[in-house]
Amino acid sequence: MLFNVKNAELSNGINLQYVERGDASGVPVIFLHGITDSWRSFELLLPHLPESIRAFALTQRGHGDSDKPETGYLPQDFAADVARFMDAVGLESAVIVGHSMGSFNAQRFAIDFSERALGIVLIDSFVNCRDNPNVTEFYETEILKLTELVPVELVREFQESTFAQPIPADFLETVINESLKLPARLWKETFKGLISTDFSDELGKIEAPTLIVWGEKDAYFPRSDQERLLEKIANSELLIYPGVGHTPQWEVPKKLAADLVRFIENLKTEKVQSRAFREIGQTGNTFAA
């Protein structure tokens, strides 16, 4: 599938690359990728979405072919960029779908810009990285040692560790090449931003309906993180994918797209019900897909 790649200049002067597909009158949905990825992380998923979803897959600052400023790699910086991006493309509100690091940024967006979040989807997410030995050990033993060039072998090993089911070989090469677009300083800055930030005590402020999606074989973030998110975010549900790793959008894109559509259709129904839009689902539900 061919994608129309565009650039948006934000009010802070930063240019972000993105792709857009779907009907202009459809429900706006913004996709935020994981660490060192780009909009192409959703390349396998986007074709499975109906025209009724106006999808924006965004390459966040420092990643892919978007601008790479010297500073500003904390979740609140990424979240503010999403709000500026919405201003740039004329969106008052949107559903925010985030994977891994992107899900952390989506959480922050739902806290800082609650009136603009129609709903959020957290794919293989976490409460914080500071207490996660899988992330902190990788940061301390591999990332902090990086000099000017990031070894291809490191990138390949990192990306291959994220999936539990086979993905297309050419797509794996694509995501590896996208990760290589980040200089060593940005590997360090983005990982540092994740590990140094903990806003778990603010998760109760999230009012947007929330879908938590977790691959049962995620090698980075355990089910306990998903349960904590489910407990802290009032209007939330947890969807578990048996046999899937950290990247459902690569491993089971058609299934994930169908679940996103279900969630968004439910949002539309709830919004028609006015107050029920914010009041339903006060007790989180867990179920396997």
Side-chain angles (χ1 to χ4, degrees):
M1 179 178 182
L2 295 178
F3 294 94
N4 184 14
V5 181
K6 304 179 181 181
N7 284 280
E9 182 175 355
L10 310 188
S11 59
N12 58 3
I14 292 175
N15 282 277
L16 299 184
Q17 190 177 81
Y18 71 101
V19 298
E20 178 184 354
R21 72 176 304 276
D23 195 294
S25 63
V27 179
V29 181
I30 297 174
F31 291 84
L32 304 177
H33 58 79
I35 198 163
T36 79
D37 293 329
S38 70
W39 72 262
R40 302 196 72 167
S41 184
F42 299 100
E43 188 172 324
L44 301 180
L45 180 143
L46 291 174
H48 297 293
L49 296 175
E51 288 296 308
S52 59
I53 291 179
R54 187 184 181 191
F56 297 85
L58 183 62
T59 297
Q60 298 169 93
R61 67 163 67 197
H63 293 71
D65 294 315
S66 288
D67 282 354
K68 298 173 173 56
E70 290 296 320
T71 60
Y73 294 95
L74 295 174
Q76 57 263 38
D77 300 314
F78 288 111
D81 278 352
V82 174
R84 295 186 184 101
F85 173 78
M86 292 170 67
D87 292 340
V89 297
L91 298 179
E92 181 178 344
S93 57
V95 177
I96 311 297
V97 179
H99 168 246
S100 195
M101 178 195 78
S103 74
F104 206 41
N105 300 339
Q107 293 176 35
R108 190 70 249 176
F109 180 89
I111 295 169
D112 294 344
F113 304 94
S114 58
E115 72 286 354
R116 305 191 73 172
L118 294 175
I120 60 172
V121 179
L122 308 177
I123 304 170
D124 287 83
S125 193
F126 50 91
V127 174
N128 68 60
C129 282
R130 185 184 61 192
D131 302 324
N132 186 317
N134 297 324
V135 178
T136 55
E137 182 178 351
F138 181 63
Y139 173 66
E140 292 169 359
T141 61
E142 300 291 347
I143 304 303
L144 287 179
K145 293 179 181 178
L146 294 176
T147 54
E148 185 175 350
L149 294 177
V150 179
V152 176
E153 297 77 15
L154 172 66
V155 177
R156 182 175 297 277
E157 182 179 355
F158 170 61
Q159 291 292 17
E160 288 181 345
S161 72
T162 62
F163 52 89
Q165 295 192 17
I167 67 172
D170 57 344
F171 181 73
L172 174 59
E173 297 307 312
T174 292
V175 296
I176 289 171
N177 289 332
E178 290 298 291
S179 291
L180 287 169
K181 292 180 179 179
L182 276 74
R185 70 174 180 89
L186 291 185
W187 280 74
K188 294 177 182 179
E189 283 296 312
T190 50
F191 271 93
K192 179 182 177 181
L194 287 180
I195 292 170
S196 65
T197 304
D198 182 359
F199 49 81
S200 56
D201 59 344
E202 296 182 76
L203 291 176
K205 298 178 181 178
I206 296 179
E207 298 179 353
T210 301
L211 175 63
I212 304 164
V213 179
W214 179 66
E216 182 187 35
K217 293 188 178 297
D218 187 335
Y220 287 92
F221 303 117
R223 177 165 178 166
S224 58
D225 261 332
Q226 319 313 310
E227 297 288 354
R228 289 179 67 193
L229 290 169
L230 187 67
E231 178 184 1
K232 289 175 175 290
I233 302 174
N235 194 357
S236 63
E237 62 177 279
L238 171 58
L239 182 60
I240 297 173
Y241 286 1
V244 175
H246 183 65
T247 52
Q249 75 276 20
W250 302 355
E251 300 171 64
V252 286
K254 186 175 181 179
K255 179 174 183 50
L256 178 57
D259 287 326
L260 291 177
V261 171
R262 174 190 62 83
F263 176 70
I264 293 165
E265 288 299 316
N266 286 343
L267 288 182
K268 290 162 66 177
T269 301
E270 293 161 13
K271 191 166 186 179
V272 169
Q273 296 171 354
S274 187
R275 287 189 55 151
F277 180 59
R278 292 300 186 190
E279 293 175 354
I280 67 150
Q282 293 302 309
T283 301
N285 298 303
T286 305
F287 54 95

